[in-house]
Amino acid sequence: MEKEDWWRDAVVYQVYPVSFQDTTGNGRGDLNGITSRLQYLKDLGVNVVWLSPIYASPMVDMGYDISDYRAIHTEFGVMEDWERLVDEAHKLGLKIVMDLVVNHTSDQHEWFKNAQSGGNKKDWYVWRDKNPEGKEPNNWGAIFGGSCWEWNEQLQQYYLHVFDVSQPDLNWQNPEVREAVWDVMRFWLDKGCDGFRMDVINCISKTPGFPDAPVADPKSAFQYGLVHRFNGPKVAEYLHEMHHRVLKHYPGTFTVGEAPGIKNAEQALPLIQNGTPLQMLFHFEHMYIDHQPGQQCFNYRPWKLTELKDILGNFMEFNQNHNGWDSLYLENHDQPRITSRWGSDTTYREASAKMLALFHATGRGTLFVYQGQEIGMVNPPSWTFDELRDLEEIEYYNGVNERNGDLNDALRQIQRIGRDNSRTPMQWSADVNAGFTTGSPWIKVNTDYFEWNVAAQLENESTSVLGFWKKLLSIRKMHPGLVRGKFQMIDYENQSVYAYTRTDEVAQYLVVCSFSDKEITWVCPVQTGSLLLANYPDGDRQELDGMKLKPYEGRLYIYAKNQH
Ligand code: TEU
């Protein structure tokens, strides 16, 4: 029998369908491609597969702009392909989680087409008159640039779009909208879908009265772009309604809500305590660590390891004391590759990819692995403007251009932090286009695929990043203390070593991760025990003055409690 809270132990693998596996030769991944790789995912040790959106969409925001919630985007396949994918997944004991994007629709959705011509669904979206000066109702900027308000000539009103102009926000205050969303959810759950990742779910309620944001220039800043547009007073109420109307009738359904702008665990708790209304959230605090406050991600801010410890440590410690639960992610389709970001994508690529894997997979929470992370994929070394596909990067580049800014620097920032870095095709083999497509790929393939690919790493499991991930996931499965046990940070002040223990009735685990690119010595303040896993072959060097840690060294120790 499956445990009621099975989702705590789950290892979720995020598939970005358009970049995963093409079977038609059109250069874009598809559902049959995902089905063909399910055995690979099973062998890796995951048990849930989350699909980024595969619904009908004009693809302005790569499927996060949905034009029909009940149809499959034609380039991904047809409904029978989805059904086969789910059947095959279930046969292997894998669950399929869908992306639920219901803060906004595409402007090509029938609902919006009806609304913008003044039909009976007008109030399904958010409309406002001009202000007394004949301008936009307030100074809110859209996350992808420009104002949040778009004028409609026919209705003589503006509609609200927190993201792109082609992504009008649904009006969640309207009970008909909520009813329509519950129906969409039931539709997929009845068809065999096992749960949802809910896109920007804390955006479904805005600050009442729509007051101005504190920053005058509405074009500036992503994080200010969250103020008043996210975390309105009704988020919890709507999600509890979702629970009562839908989720509780489908016990065991997996739920994770994406929640940018949730600043700490206290703020998250009402949405996840004891797994209701949602089981967990994706907060963004560790992902914002290298952003200038109040500015877009493209503006770099240096950071210290203790800041990362503050963010992640506080979430874990608070949640374990309050029946909350963490989601653990270091990559997704909106973030650059973690090995490039926090590790080294040159000299110490393999070591740092493994150290970050160890760090990631030994946290207290549900584990989310993004496609390609398991083989240590990295950002491509450079991007030209013509190679860019992501609207956020293109808007940013155009903005720099308009201000006569430094365009080479813009491309460097995009290479460092832009969203296309994680959207390059999955590197399956050394064959043409990394085995992703026989056609012409929709986005460039990282040229390092000759060396860095799944096939090569399967052949060298004893040394490869992929082999390391497999070991890690099987260890996590065999040692529940690493998932559910108590988390305790140790040597907090250290700016090079991130170390903690995880403890349950059976054992105490010690995780030691060096974020330094130099060899360092570390004095361990607790009992170490015996080595379970390390990312260097001779990874147990201890001398009287402490552990000798190589660049990006990571170690996992176990100290059994019945030991003396
Ligand atoms: O993301 C929300 C979000 O806040 C990020 O996209 C953010 O803009 C980015 O990380 C800043 O660099 C979700 C989806 O994951 C994303 O792909 C969509 O574009 C967005 O919502 C709109 O649906």
Side-chain angles (χ1 to χ4, degrees):
M1 252 286 282
E2 184 174 84
K3 276 194 219 145
E4 205 183 310
D5 65 347
W6 66 271
W7 42 270
R8 293 183 205 271
D9 312 293
V11 179
V12 185
Y13 186 95
Q14 181 189 354
V15 169
Y16 195 62
V18 71
S19 298
F20 195 58
Q21 177 71 72
D22 177 20
T23 59
T24 66
N26 71 352
R28 307 170 78 87
D30 48 55
L31 290 171
N32 289 337
I34 302 170
T35 309
S36 75
R37 297 295 186 177
L38 289 173
Q39 188 62 50
Y40 164 75
L41 298 179
K42 177 78 187 169
D43 294 344
L44 176 60
V46 312
N47 39 27
V48 177
V49 181
W50 147 32
L51 306 180
S52 274
I54 48 142
Y55 314 92
S57 164
M59 291 279 160
V60 176
D61 189 19
M62 299 311 301
Y64 285 90
D65 48 327
I66 296 172
S67 53
D68 184 347
Y69 288 103
R70 292 177 169 78
I72 303 291
H73 181 59
T74 45
E75 286 175 331
F76 289 149
V78 293
M79 193 57 92
E80 288 70 33
D81 298 329
W82 184 86
E83 288 162 359
R84 194 165 50 249
L85 166 66
V86 172
D87 276 355
E88 295 298 321
H90 287 172
K91 276 188 217 153
L92 291 171
L94 297 169
K95 295 182 192 273
I96 299 288
V97 162
M98 298 279 275
D99 217 309
L100 188 71
V101 188
V102 287
N103 172 67
H104 43 264
T105 67
S106 159
D107 60 357
Q108 301 305 306
H109 197 293
E110 286 306 322
W111 299 345
F112 189 71
K113 288 189 184 161
N114 170 299
Q116 69 177 354
S117 52
N120 58 359
K121 290 196 169 55
K122 186 188 162 209
D123 287 338
W124 285 38
Y125 294 84
V126 183
W127 300 92
R128 288 292 183 276
D129 294 333
K130 282 182 179 162
N131 73 9
E133 287 101 62
K135 299 230 170 72
E136 285 90 355
N138 64 24
N139 71 356
W140 293 359
I143 282 174
F144 296 139
S147 165
C148 258
W149 298 101
E150 182 71 10
W151 182 247
N152 177 302
E153 202 47 49
Q154 186 187 342
L155 301 178
Q156 291 289 300
Q157 279 190 318
Y158 292 96
Y159 71 82
L160 177 73
H161 62 91
V162 170
F163 288 88
D164 188 58
V165 59
S166 66
Q167 294 168 300
D169 281 52
L170 282 164
N171 174 18
W172 275 69
Q173 288 185 317
N174 183 342
E176 288 179 22
V177 167
R178 303 201 297 277
E179 216 45 69
V181 171
W182 311 157
D183 264 354
V184 168
M185 293 174 73
R186 291 184 199 111
F187 173 82
W188 289 102
L189 290 166
D190 289 339
K191 284 183 73 62
C193 146
D194 299 295
F196 299 103
R197 174 268 190 188
M198 301 178 191
D199 192 60
V200 288
I201 203 62
N202 59 331
C203 190
I204 59 177
S205 167
K206 281 88 176 159
T207 304
F210 291 6
D212 272 349
V215 168
D217 171 17
K219 267 200 173 184
S220 64
F222 173 66
Q223 280 162 323
Y224 281 118
L226 302 174
V227 177
H228 297 316
R229 276 141 281 184
F230 284 69
N231 301 325
K234 295 213 159 181
V235 175
E237 180 185 319
Y238 295 150
L239 292 177
H240 278 288
E241 185 177 316
M242 176 194 281
H243 173 77
H244 288 292
R245 298 298 312 281
V246 185
L247 294 169
K248 79 170 186 203
H249 304 289
Y250 297 84
T253 298
F254 185 91
T255 56
V256 54
E258 191 205 27
I262 289 275
K263 294 217 162 311
N264 52 50
E266 289 90 324
Q267 200 187 352
L269 195 65
L271 303 179
I272 57 165
Q273 197 166 25
N274 299 312
T276 312
L278 302 181
Q279 289 153 356
M280 65 202 102
L281 296 177
F282 292 134
H283 71 76
F284 280 54
E285 295 308 298
H286 60 314
M287 293 284 112
Y288 295 156
I289 197 166
D290 57 8
H291 301 186
Q292 285 291 342
Q295 297 187 25
Q296 272 189 305
C297 59
F298 303 104
N299 299 282
Y300 181 69
R301 168 187 174 276
W303 55 280
K304 292 198 180 110
L305 198 59
T306 45
E307 295 174 74
L308 185 64
K309 295 181 188 184
D310 283 337
I311 296 167
L312 298 179
N314 287 345
F315 267 98
M316 284 179 202
E317 280 166 10
F318 184 91
N319 276 336
Q320 73 190 358
N321 293 330
H322 294 86
N323 290 318
W325 191 249
D326 276 273
S327 69
L328 310 172
Y329 77 95
L330 299 180
E331 289 184 10
N332 63 35
H333 64 291
D334 295 331
Q335 302 295 336
R337 295 292 184 176
I338 201 64
T339 302
S340 298
R341 195 177 190 178
W342 291 357
S344 147
D345 56 14
T346 51
T347 321
Y348 301 115
R349 176 168 175 178
E350 189 186 305
S352 63
K354 290 177 181 174
M355 181 280 286
L356 289 163
L358 177 66
F359 169 72
H360 186 185
T362 53
R364 183 180 182 277
T366 298
L367 189 59
F368 291 80
V369 183
Y370 178 68
Q371 68 181 44
Q373 189 181 350
E374 78 278 20
I375 57 165
M377 278 179 67
V378 295
N379 299 351
S382 64
W383 290 97
T384 63
F385 179 71
D386 291 341
E387 288 168 345
L388 302 181
R389 296 291 177 272
D390 172 38
L391 86 169
E392 186 179 50
E393 293 169 353
I394 292 169
E395 295 263 9
Y396 163 70
Y397 183 95
N398 288 337
V400 173
N401 198 11
E402 275 166 34
R403 295 191 297 274
N404 289 319
D406 180 345
L407 292 175
N408 288 326
D409 183 63
L411 289 174
R412 274 197 297 277
Q413 300 311 323
I414 287 170
Q415 187 279 334
R416 180 181 61 75
I417 200 83
R419 307 201 294 182
D420 280 334
N421 290 300
S422 58
R423 299 178 179 184
T424 63
M426 181 68 186
Q427 293 167 201
W428 293 108
S429 69
D431 295 345
V432 68
N433 295 322
F436 162 68
T437 181
T438 53
S440 160
W442 74 278
I443 188 172
K444 75 170 177 183
V445 182
N446 194 341
T447 45
D448 69 357
Y449 76 82
F450 292 107
E451 199 187 336
W452 289 83
N453 62 65
V454 170
Q457 295 198 23
L458 284 176
E459 268 174 40
N460 292 303
E461 282 205 16
S462 58
T463 55
S464 64
V465 176
L466 180 60
F468 190 83
W469 265 104
K470 282 192 178 181
K471 265 183 240 148
L472 202 46
L473 295 183
S474 79
I475 288 175
R476 196 174 149 93
K477 206 178 209 164
M478 274 155 32
H479 297 267
L482 282 173
V483 181
R484 296 178 181 234
K486 184 174 152 47
F487 168 88
Q488 172 87 52
M489 191 78 76
I490 57 176
D491 194 17
Y492 163 80
E493 288 81 13
N494 198 309
Q495 298 290 9
S496 302
V497 177
Y498 196 129
Y500 45 92
T501 57
R502 306 294 315 279
T503 313
D504 69 359
E505 313 75 50
V506 189
Q508 172 164 298
Y509 303 86
L510 167 67
V511 181
V512 183
C513 292
S514 170
F515 279 67
S516 173
D517 60 1
K518 314 249 168 350
E519 175 154 330
I520 53 172
T521 302
W522 185 62
V523 180
C524 180
V526 299
Q527 182 70 47
T528 53
S530 51
L531 195 71
L532 256 182
L533 189 64
N535 65 345
Y536 280 93
D538 57 347
D540 201 14
R541 297 181 309 146
Q542 299 205 44
E543 283 155 35
L544 281 179
D545 61 342
M547 288 185 192
K548 302 278 178 223
L549 296 174
K550 292 188 177 157
Y552 300 104
E553 180 154 1
R555 300 182 191 176
L556 170 62
Y557 290 93
I558 181 170
Y559 180 68
K561 285 218 169 133
N562 56 12
Q563 225 169 272
H564 295 288

